[in-house]
Amino acid sequence: MKKYRTHKLSDSDVRHAKPREKLYKLSDGGNLACYVLTTGTKSWRYSYRFNGDQKTFTIGNYPNVSLSEARKQREIAKDKVKAGIDPSLEKQTLRHTSNETSFQAIAEEWYTSNVDGWSKEHSTRVHSYLKRDVYPVLGRMEITTITAPTIIMIVKTVADRGAIDAAKRVKGFVQQVFDYALVHSQVDRNPAKDINLSLILPKTVKRHFAAITSPEKIGELLTAIEGYSGSLSVKAALRLSPLLFLRPTELREAEWSEIDLKRPSGRSAKRRKLP
């Protein structure tokens, strides 16, 4: 007899599970659980011990892998552990000897291995850059065949549309994917590290901008902001600018993790006593 109760979940439980601010799991018993990521991805994982170490075997994502199929794969993995076979190591070995060594396959593996520690906003941003700017060029390429000139072409394409910061991020994400592949012995070098962005991207010209110093002019600016009749998001950004003193780019790319609405801004929690 089994010492644990299994089949705790129904397909409806998994199908209707919504993402939250942090990763959580739905347990089906027998060390099988569906992990719901902040991005909405639902990943079947089997937890087990092998040679005294706690390990996790990733079965696949729902709904591509159904609840019944996940249970079957859990039992297969469990039998392998009893037979002295590590299912995670076996899967990794098979992957390295199969055709799943395209850049996109490895990038998705890198993404999945890191997404649990990222905010929802950051994980969405990373996936968006990969799907929009990287996969159309590198996606189906064998990762070992990718060279620096191909990566440079992608970076320049992004920069040519005026998105210099985005070009830097894209290069950084590609470099991290290659670092991941290097650690897992899928490549023997990282071509992205050979790229010097200062020689590729246009140099930023530093200049001083005129600033309003007159109280009357400041008043006119604030009045103009209040009278702005454009979109709500732009008006909100305009109203925040004189309060936060941030550059437009910093304000536009701010993340919720950088904002604490419970903490007073610009003043100490304890009021100073005047002498």
Side-chain angles (χ1 to χ4, degrees):
M1 294 179 61
K2 294 181 179 179
K3 297 182 180 180
Y4 47 78
R5 186 169 73 88
T6 58
H7 296 201
K8 296 179 181 179
L9 296 175
S10 67
D11 184 75
S12 179
D13 293 332
V14 182
R15 185 170 67 254
H16 293 104
K18 303 297 183 184
R20 302 174 185 172
E21 291 185 1
K22 294 183 179 180
L23 170 143
Y24 68 99
K25 68 178 181 179
L26 304 171
S27 177
D28 188 53
N31 295 330
L32 174 66
C34 179
Y35 284 72
V36 184
L37 281 60
T38 57
T39 57
T41 299
K42 299 169 185 177
S43 174
W44 292 110
R45 303 180 190 181
Y46 168 59
S47 299
Y48 62 99
R49 296 191 71 84
F50 193 84
N51 291 336
D53 296 327
Q54 185 65 38
K55 308 196 74 174
T56 301
F57 175 61
T58 301
I59 296 173
N61 294 341
Y62 179 89
N64 293 335
V65 177
S66 65
L67 173 58
S68 60
E69 180 61 25
R71 287 168 175 166
K72 291 178 184 177
Q73 293 300 321
R74 183 268 313 280
E75 292 303 316
I76 292 173
K78 180 184 174 186
D79 290 340
K80 288 181 178 179
V81 172
K82 288 182 178 179
I85 300 171
D86 185 344
S88 295
L89 181 60
E90 180 188 51
K91 182 179 180 180
Q92 184 178 3
T93 302
L94 289 174
R95 183 188 297 118
H96 289 172
T97 58
S98 70
N99 293 325
E100 287 301 305
T101 52
S102 67
F103 180 89
Q104 183 168 341
I106 295 171
E108 287 296 310
E109 187 177 322
W110 163 78
Y111 177 86
T112 301
S113 69
N114 285 282
V115 70
D116 291 356
W118 292 340
S119 67
K120 183 176 181 180
E121 291 79 7
H122 183 69
S123 57
T124 300
R125 184 184 300 117
V126 172
H127 226 183
S128 176
Y129 279 123
L130 289 174
K131 290 190 289 185
R132 181 184 61 193
D133 300 311
V134 181
Y135 289 166
V137 180
L138 303 182
R140 296 184 180 181
M141 293 181 66
E142 175 77 20
I143 194 167
T144 56
T145 67
I146 297 172
T147 58
T150 308
I151 301 172
I152 291 172
M153 179 187 69
I154 296 173
V155 173
K156 284 185 174 180
T157 300
V158 177
D160 286 344
R161 66 172 187 252
I164 305 301
D165 289 339
K168 295 177 181 178
R169 290 194 184 96
V170 166
K171 188 262 187 183
F173 295 147
V174 171
Q175 183 169 321
Q176 290 177 58
V177 172
F178 270 97
D179 280 339
Y180 178 87
L182 191 63
V183 169
H184 289 83
S185 303
Q186 292 162 315
V187 295
D188 55 12
R189 59 186 299 274
N190 187 341
K193 284 189 175 179
D194 299 334
I195 301 172
N196 187 340
L197 289 180
S198 65
L199 301 176
I200 301 170
L201 301 179
K203 292 180 173 57
T204 303
V205 179
K206 294 183 179 180
R207 50 179 177 167
H208 296 287
F209 294 91
I212 298 176
T213 57
S214 165
E216 291 80 7
K217 293 294 183 181
I218 294 176
E220 292 175 5
L221 174 62
L222 295 177
T223 300
I225 291 174
E226 289 301 318
Y228 178 76
S229 58
S231 67
L232 178 61
S233 58
V234 174
K235 184 167 185 175
L238 289 172
R239 295 180 70 180
L240 282 170
S241 293
L243 298 175
L244 302 178
F245 295 99
L246 293 175
R247 295 184 177 89
T249 300
E250 294 172 336
L251 184 60
R252 188 178 69 251
E253 297 180 356
E255 298 183 3
W256 282 112
S257 60
E258 302 169 333
I259 299 171
D260 186 352
L261 298 177
K262 296 181 180 180
R263 181 179 179 182
S265 177
R267 64 180 65 183
S268 172
K270 295 183 179 179
R271 188 182 298 275
R272 286 186 178 182
K273 293 183 178 180
L274 296 176

